Amino acid sequence: MSIVSQAAAPVAEEAMGIELGRRRRAGRRPTRFTPGIVVSYVLVVAYALLLALPLYWLFISAFKPRVEILGQPFTPTFTSGFDNIVEVWERLNIPAALFNSAYITVASLLLTIVLAVPAAYALARSTGRLGRFVERLYALGFLIPGFASLIPTLLLAIQIGLYADREFMILYLPASAQPLAVILLTQFMRTVPPELEESARIDGAGRLRILWSVYVPLVRPGIATVAILNFIGFWNEYIYSLVIVGANQYKRTIQVALPTLQGNQGITDYALVCAGTLISIIPVFIVYIILNRRMEEALVQGALKG
């Protein structure tokens, strides 16, 4: 079993390395700037600027007073220093809000992957009608809008005694993420050669051993993709957290805490809102930086097999 496991892992990496090497060699060829390529570069740069501009405005506005945000919206003055950050940190009890968000997000993410990986393995290796039926049943989950199940979910939380508890969100979020996670991982697992599983069986490995030692190492890019997509969704979830967990400052998430910065009578200090938003997106960037390489590998694998 150990020999099979060690031999299985490098298969995808070797194929990816060959493709990357071919692309590097192709990259040394002189580039011809045809009109089509120039237009493509211009559109790519313009699109990148459109994406970066709101982030730039958010960052510089978090370090300005409210008056300068309105008078000099795109000038990086940094007049307020860290005053806005400190005020938001104390007013919203940010440490508790960040802890609640991290607790719900990480626990939900782990539960999502623990449930999705074996389900995807079963569907990937199933060849019968039952397997196809279950896979289509998962796919039907994409057709249900998230807000459509809000009232039934609220009634369920009250019925089982978990209303206003963070633990209910840890049960609800993985359930809502299963269609996407299972369908994506099933496609990744179908790319694993069946011969590897047969070799492992000859060595005496059981189902769980094959899943853990053969499939999981080969579909790590897919798991990383599912992790990033669901982390962003779980971290930014707002409506269910507000309705079910509530606005109690000791239980609310960072996304529920931020709207309390909106002032009464329509007067809002946008400098504080920007500072709070900047704090809330930092964990998302950290997770993306950690897992983005695996996600890029998943995209390369998808391109190779496409």
Side-chain angles (χ1 to χ4, degrees):
M1 178 59 210
S2 59
I3 296 175
V4 174
S5 304
Q6 293 173 3
V11 171
E13 295 177 0
E14 183 180 354
M16 192 182 307
I18 294 173
E19 176 63 16
L20 290 176
R22 185 183 65 79
R23 293 188 177 191
R24 289 194 189 100
R25 289 192 296 274
R28 297 193 188 101
R29 297 172 183 173
T31 303
R32 295 179 180 176
F33 288 97
T34 61
I37 292 179
V38 172
V39 171
S40 300
Y41 275 112
V42 170
L43 291 177
V44 168
V45 172
Y47 183 65
L49 289 176
L50 284 175
L51 294 178
L53 187 60
L55 291 175
Y56 167 75
W57 180 84
L58 174 69
F59 179 77
I60 63 172
S61 298
F63 301 96
K64 288 180 179 180
R66 179 171 178 268
V67 176
E68 289 187 358
I69 290 178
L70 301 176
Q72 307 174 45
F74 295 104
T75 304
T77 61
F78 298 100
T79 308
S80 297
F82 289 94
D83 292 346
N84 296 330
I85 302 287
V86 173
E87 184 174 349
V88 169
W89 191 273
E90 295 175 349
R91 186 190 292 188
L92 297 186
N93 194 9
I94 290 292
L98 286 177
F99 172 80
N100 292 331
S101 290
Y103 171 57
I104 293 174
T105 301
V106 173
S108 300
L109 193 57
L110 290 176
L111 187 57
T112 299
I113 293 175
V114 167
L115 294 175
V117 168
Y121 169 63
L123 291 177
R125 285 297 165 249
S126 174
T127 56
R129 293 182 179 178
L130 181 60
R132 290 196 294 272
F133 172 75
V134 174
E135 186 175 358
R136 289 170 183 170
L137 204 59
Y138 271 106
L140 286 177
F142 294 114
L143 302 179
I144 303 174
F147 60 85
S149 59
L150 177 60
I151 300 303
T153 305
L154 173 62
L155 296 176
L156 176 64
I158 296 173
Q159 187 68 28
I160 63 177
L162 289 178
Y163 176 68
D165 278 344
R166 296 167 298 183
E167 285 69 24
F168 183 82
M169 294 302 296
I170 296 174
L171 298 176
Y172 165 74
L173 291 175
S176 65
Q178 284 304 299
L180 176 63
V182 171
I183 295 297
L184 274 180
L185 289 177
T186 299
Q187 303 309 315
F188 274 98
M189 289 190 179
R190 281 181 176 150
T191 64
V192 177
E195 292 79 10
L196 294 177
E197 182 173 352
E198 294 171 3
S199 300
R201 285 187 180 218
I202 293 173
D203 288 346
R207 289 281 188 184
L208 289 178
R209 184 66 175 169
I210 292 172
L211 173 62
W212 179 255
S213 299
V214 177
Y215 280 83
V216 169
L218 292 177
V219 299
R220 279 178 186 165
I223 295 175
T225 303
V226 170
I228 289 177
L229 294 177
N230 283 309
F231 184 91
I232 295 172
F234 295 166
W235 184 268
N236 292 326
E237 204 289 320
Y238 171 70
I239 186 68
Y240 280 84
S241 299
L242 175 64
V243 173
I244 295 176
V245 179
N248 185 318
Q249 66 170 329
Y250 298 105
K251 293 183 178 180
R252 68 188 181 187
T253 63
I254 185 70
Q255 303 303 335
V256 175
L258 284 178
T260 61
L261 291 172
Q262 185 176 3
N264 295 326
Q265 301 176 349
I267 301 175
T268 300
D269 190 338
Y270 292 104
L272 297 182
V273 174
C274 291
T277 306
L278 183 63
I279 294 173
S280 72
I281 65 175
I282 288 176
V284 177
F285 277 94
I286 293 175
V287 170
Y288 179 76
I289 291 171
I290 294 173
L291 296 178
N292 74 325
R293 186 177 175 186
R294 291 292 183 184
M295 190 170 180
E296 289 174 1
E297 290 176 1
L299 295 175
V300 171
Q301 287 184 4
L304 288 173
K305 294 173 176 63

